[in-house]
Amino acid sequence: MIRINEDYCKGCGYCVRACPKKALHLSAQRNANGVTPPVADEEACTKCRLCEVTCPDFAITIEEEDEE
Amino acid sequence: MKQASELYETYLRTDMLPTILCSGCGAGVVLNATIRAIDSLKMDLDNMVFVSGIGCSSRLGAYINADSLHTTHGRAIAYATGVKAANPDLEVVVFTGDGDCVGIGGNHFIHGIRRNIGINVIAINNYNYGMTGGQTSPSTPQGSVTTTTQYGAFEHPFDIAQLAKTAGAAYVARWTTSHPLQLQKAIRKGFSNKGFCFIEVLSPCPTSYWGRNKVRNPEEMYQWYKDHTIPIGRAEEYPEKIPIGELVNVEKREWTEQWASLVRKVSP
Amino acid sequence: MNAREAIGDTVQFVQGDKACVYGALLAGCRFFAGYPITPATEIAEEMSRLLPLIGGTSIQMEDEIGSISAVVGAAWTGAKAMTATSGPGFSLMQETIGYAVMTETPCVIVDVQRGGPSTGQPTRASQGDVMQARYGSHGDYELIVLSPSSVQEAMELTIRAFNLSETYRVPAILLTEESIGHMREKITIPDTVPLQSRPATEDEAAPHVPPFSPFGRGKKAFVTGLTHQDNGHPSTDDHEVHDRLVRRLCAKVCENMDDIFQADTVRMDDADTVIVSYGISARPGRAASEMAAQAGRKVGAITLKTLWPFNYAYFAELAQRVDHIVVVEMNCGMLYHSIREAAAGNANVTLVSTLGGKVADPTAILEVIR
């Protein structure tokens, strides 16, 4: 599950460019912080975590479901 | 690999987040890569000191959940030398910027290298003095428009990684914030080399530099650093591109090690 | 080998520069960073000879800014650390001295004064850095400046500089001159000296002096030259945070004047005139007082060992008791102004000023008294 921390995200779009599967795009609306955070396409995401590693603001994390 | 949230709770002063850095500033990527390198080596955060000078890059130490020394402009390497020399068991990291490191700090930079004091210096090169609003710096590319070169910078910039290599640093690498995994690996390798380790990180400065130099938004900047760099091995083929990768990795007797053997030799 | 053994015989005939090193080692100094400069180089040389013998660390840095910066870095590992220089280097160190004040870093700086301004008279004494020692960095701050008037005192006041610096977590400057730095005199070296260390816990803390968190002990110390809250985190826009911090940093020195201030006096009771001097100038000062006594005059002599913080109350009270205060300095008049200010017109304050490495002649002081 891709979790966005909208308090940390500054809408820079690094994660969008870093994602090899184009699973992220910046939302059209600005949030309360005036930022356009990324929106995730869960299916396309392969959990490679490149977005996590690239994010300058620690705002995107891939939460592992509790696999058996 | 630890869950990201757990990683951040362990290594970051999360109460201090979000950082003061601008949207699209690459320095945050360096902070991210640094804590991941530390985690991957299972290093003891309580045995580390993060020293920094003045400038945007130098604010990174404040966000790490460890001892940090935020010093004066250009002198971080000299302070860090004192920390390491007085307690060689400490793992000392220096966050600095292009201006802080090779502008005002140039003298301490080349002598820290010459002396081969065992510190890990990460210089975030964003091509200008960002904190003060975008003045030209010793690494500003020729032709750049900055607030102090409004008709275009004509001076010849340093190649900072080459400067470190020529001064004799034990480990030298250059990456960009668009290469976070390679950067993380380079930081890890730096920690394994006991001598003076230097990593130059090319990093976008959306607010003070690129806005005045024809790259409009952070996503384009992210791409710029991929398009305008080339792995060192293929640098000849693309002379106009900036070579990135590992320039030096040699073993070289480190200052505190040499001091310790001198003390052993002379003590009665 | 411990420090006392490394120093050697109890009675020696040594230069003031060397005596400073002895005092530093006895006080627990185990880190020195310096840069060659006449007339202080002997301190760096002696440190490089002795510190390795006792497991300390001595390093020659690329310049004076690097030297004082390394000292501050070392101090934050818990070490007692020192540098030594003269006027030109002292000027380069001022920004970092201000940083040490703001971050409450204990450290000692020896300034062996030479002729200034600029390159001046490298091999001649002066007392021209007195104001720089107090006001050389930027912003409102206080620190401690001691001044020895003999080679024995060069050792003793270096010990005291470390102890005061540790107690109040503030840089302490030993302000001496080329004459004492390069002069040899007999000194007696104690076997043990009283040692102070920076407060480690709340209950050890003195008023206004927070406990010290050394690096490498898991305290996650947050040290910055930016205006900061009590937990060290930067807070640069809140005027109350800045006001409280700056006033505390000043108060911890000024409100402990009784502990910090020291002066030696001779022939003070019912003196109508008093000669005030410090450092090498204290010698003609004391001599003039003695010569005046032989001529039946009641002239006291005060040798200031603490220059800063300046003891206004002491001199205000003195001005009530005597008619004439003669200040003897190897500059155009520096501490003279502070003394005159404290006297507030209640006593005549005159200056005997010498330059060019010339120490005042006692007879010249007597002329001013008649």
Side-chain angles (χ1 to χ4, degrees):
Chain A
M1 201 269 281
I2 300 162
R3 211 165 57 75
I4 313 291
N5 180 331
E6 292 209 16
D7 292 333
Y8 289 175
C9 174
K10 294 174 186 163
C12 71
Y14 273 21
C15 53
V16 172
R17 285 298 179 102
C19 177
K21 296 298 178 191
K22 301 281 172 280
L24 294 162
H25 66 275
L26 290 184
S27 84
Q29 286 78 30
R30 289 187 181 282
N31 64 16
N33 298 333
V35 159
T36 53
V39 176
D41 169 354
E42 297 279 353
E43 273 68 39
C45 168
T46 62
K47 297 192 175 43
C48 75
R49 293 174 183 270
L50 255 177
C51 56
E52 236 182 45
V53 168
T54 304
C55 177
D57 294 293
F58 312 99
I60 185 165
T61 49
I62 311 296
E63 305 295 349
E64 299 289 348
E65 284 82 14
D66 304 339
E67 283 101 18
E68 294 70 25
Chain B
M1 202 163 79
K2 274 201 185 80
Q3 284 274 38
S5 48
E6 187 197 341
L7 191 75
Y8 301 156
E9 276 311 316
T10 313
Y11 292 97
L12 297 175
R13 295 182 194 259
T14 46
D15 56 332
M16 299 274 292
L17 296 179
T19 69
I20 63 158
L21 304 170
C22 304
S23 168
C25 167
V29 179
V30 175
L31 180 57
N32 199 336
T34 301
I35 61 169
R36 287 169 185 274
I38 291 167
D39 184 64
S40 69
L41 293 171
K42 300 277 172 288
M43 297 172 77
D44 176 4
L45 210 49
D46 288 344
N47 192 45
M48 300 189 73
V49 183
F50 295 85
V51 186
S52 58
I54 296 294
C56 303
S57 59
S58 292
R59 297 303 286 266
L60 294 189
Y63 300 109
I64 299 180
N65 202 13
D67 292 322
S68 67
L69 188 66
H70 181 216
T71 70
T72 45
H73 192 36
R75 319 303 173 182
I77 286 172
Y79 284 81
T81 300
V83 172
K84 183 68 176 180
N87 183 353
D89 299 333
L90 291 172
E91 190 69 52
V92 179
V93 176
V94 173
F95 290 117
T96 181
D98 45 311
D100 190 64
C101 186
V102 295
I104 184 170
N107 198 26
H108 309 301
F109 176 61
I110 52 175
H111 286 279
I113 290 172
R114 175 185 60 76
R115 179 175 299 123
N116 196 33
I117 184 80
I119 59 179
N120 308 281
V121 178
I122 301 173
I124 300 169
N125 177 3
N126 64 357
Y127 289 153
N128 80 119
Y129 284 91
M131 172 75 81
T132 39
Q135 297 72 40
T136 191
S137 91
S139 64
T140 299
Q142 284 182 306
S144 299
V145 172
T146 75
T147 61
T148 47
T149 58
Q150 303 189 24
Y151 310 108
F154 59 79
E155 291 182 6
H156 307 278
F158 277 136
D159 177 324
I160 304 178
Q162 285 299 343
L163 194 59
K165 177 177 178 180
T166 311
Y171 179 87
V172 180
R174 172 172 35 224
W175 289 102
T176 89
T177 49
S178 303
H179 301 83
L181 287 178
Q182 299 90 328
L183 172 57
Q184 184 184 322
K185 198 159 149 267
I187 296 172
R188 239 197 336 267
K189 281 188 86 174
F191 282 131
S192 325
N193 185 313
K194 287 308 155 206
F196 188 106
C197 301
F198 180 75
I199 299 170
E200 177 186 1
V201 190
L202 300 180
S203 166
C205 173
T207 308
S208 296
Y209 181 75
W210 283 112
R212 296 190 177 93
N213 290 283
K214 300 191 188 62
V215 181
R216 289 288 163 248
N217 70 54
E219 283 187 49
E220 285 170 35
M221 295 166 204
Y222 179 88
Q223 199 53 42
W224 190 93
Y225 286 89
K226 282 196 181 282
D227 300 341
H228 290 78
T229 56
I230 192 75
I232 283 178
R234 300 169 54 210
E236 277 76 28
E237 297 161 52
Y238 301 87
E240 78 293 355
K241 294 199 176 203
I242 304 160
I244 52 175
E246 183 176 292
L247 283 78
V248 179
N249 189 6
V250 295
E251 286 307 315
K252 191 174 174 181
R253 285 205 67 202
E254 189 267 342
W255 195 92
T256 62
E257 198 191 296
Q258 291 180 297
W259 179 263
S261 62
L262 178 141
V263 167
R264 277 193 301 276
K265 192 178 73 184
V266 302
S267 317
Chain C
M1 175 187 275
N2 68 37
R4 184 62 195 78
E5 287 156 353
I7 289 169
D9 297 341
T10 300
V11 177
Q12 293 187 29
F13 183 65
V14 295
Q15 283 186 328
D17 278 353
K18 195 166 188 174
C20 290
V21 175
Y22 287 179
L25 300 187
L26 291 170
C29 173
R30 291 297 175 273
F31 185 91
F32 178 85
Y35 186 79
I37 185 167
T38 301
T41 313
E42 292 81 355
I43 295 173
E45 290 168 342
E46 193 61 8
M47 280 291 192
S48 68
R49 184 178 74 83
L50 289 177
L51 278 173
L53 304 180
I54 59 172
T57 305
S58 172
I59 185 168
Q60 180 169 312
M61 294 294 283
E62 50 276 10
D63 55 39
E64 286 90 349
I65 302 172
S67 301
I68 182 70
S69 301
V71 160
V72 172
W76 273 93
T77 68
K80 293 185 179 181
M82 171 172 134
T83 187
T85 190
S86 184
F90 195 41
S91 296
L92 290 176
M93 293 184 175
Q94 293 302 325
E95 182 191 4
T96 308
I97 289 172
Y99 179 86
V101 169
M102 192 63 153
T103 54
E104 302 184 84
T105 306
C107 58
V108 170
I109 303 102
V110 179
D111 175 22
V112 189
Q113 297 169 96
R114 72 192 219 178
S118 187
T119 314
Q121 296 185 300
T123 58
R124 287 285 175 265
S126 96
Q127 295 180 317
D129 305 353
V130 173
M131 286 300 172
Q132 179 182 28
R134 167 67 183 79
Y135 293 104
S137 202
H138 52 284
D140 291 285
Y141 66 98
E142 295 278 346
L143 43 66
I144 295 170
V145 180
L146 308 180
S147 179
S149 62
S150 68
V151 171
Q152 180 76 24
E153 276 184 6
M155 177 180 67
E156 289 166 355
L157 291 187
T158 300
I159 295 167
R160 188 147 198 274
F162 272 99
N163 285 337
L164 289 172
S165 171
E166 289 287 320
T167 301
Y168 299 107
R169 286 186 57 185
V170 68
I173 295 166
L174 189 89
L175 196 64
T176 183
E177 312 91 17
E178 181 280 334
S179 25
I180 289 188
H182 279 167
M183 171 167 62
R184 276 183 176 74
E185 281 185 325
K186 190 181 90 167
I187 65 169
T188 307
I189 298 146
D191 286 333
T192 58
V193 295
L195 287 187
Q196 293 291 336
S197 286
R198 57 204 76 171
T201 58
E202 272 310 326
D203 45 46
E204 284 171 9
H208 312 304
V209 183
F212 181 83
S213 305
F215 292 157
R217 309 254 172 42
K219 301 217 184 239
K220 305 188 187 301
F222 194 125
V223 184
T224 179
L226 286 170
T227 296
H228 45 271
Q229 296 157 12
D230 298 345
N231 62 8
H233 288 210
S235 167
T236 56
D237 298 322
D238 180 333
H239 80 275
E240 266 160 29
V241 169
H242 186 81
D243 185 296
R244 200 173 64 244
L245 174 64
V246 170
R247 291 189 200 277
R248 175 176 69 78
L249 295 179
C250 294
K252 75 178 178 180
V253 174
C254 297
E255 288 177 11
N256 288 293
M257 179 70 79
D258 298 345
D259 178 34
I260 297 169
F261 181 74
Q262 267 186 349
D264 290 344
T265 58
V266 62
R267 294 183 205 86
M268 290 296 286
D269 24 11
D270 57 49
D272 51 58
T273 302
V274 167
I275 299 163
V276 179
S277 49
Y278 52 92
I280 190 71
S281 301
R283 299 194 177 203
R286 289 194 290 257
S289 160
E290 194 179 333
M291 290 160 72
Q294 283 149 15
R297 288 294 312 279
K298 290 196 179 309
V299 175
I302 296 173
T303 304
L304 282 175
K305 293 161 82 168
T306 305
L307 305 188
W308 308 100
F310 184 76
N311 198 334
Y312 284 95
Y314 180 88
F315 284 101
E317 187 277 328
L318 179 69
Q320 305 283 0
R321 277 196 287 129
V322 301
D323 311 328
H324 187 190
I325 298 172
V326 177
V327 181
V328 184
E329 289 184 286
M330 294 174 69
N331 54 48
C332 292
M334 289 188 174
L335 222 56
Y336 162 73
H337 294 293
S338 305
I339 293 168
R340 221 163 61 123
E341 181 191 345
N346 293 314
N348 181 18
V349 183
T350 50
L351 169 67
V352 173
S353 156
T354 58
L355 297 179
K358 183 175 179 307
V359 186
D361 186 316
T363 49
I365 300 171
L366 286 178
E367 250 110 54
V368 167
I369 290 174
R370 273 191 194 77

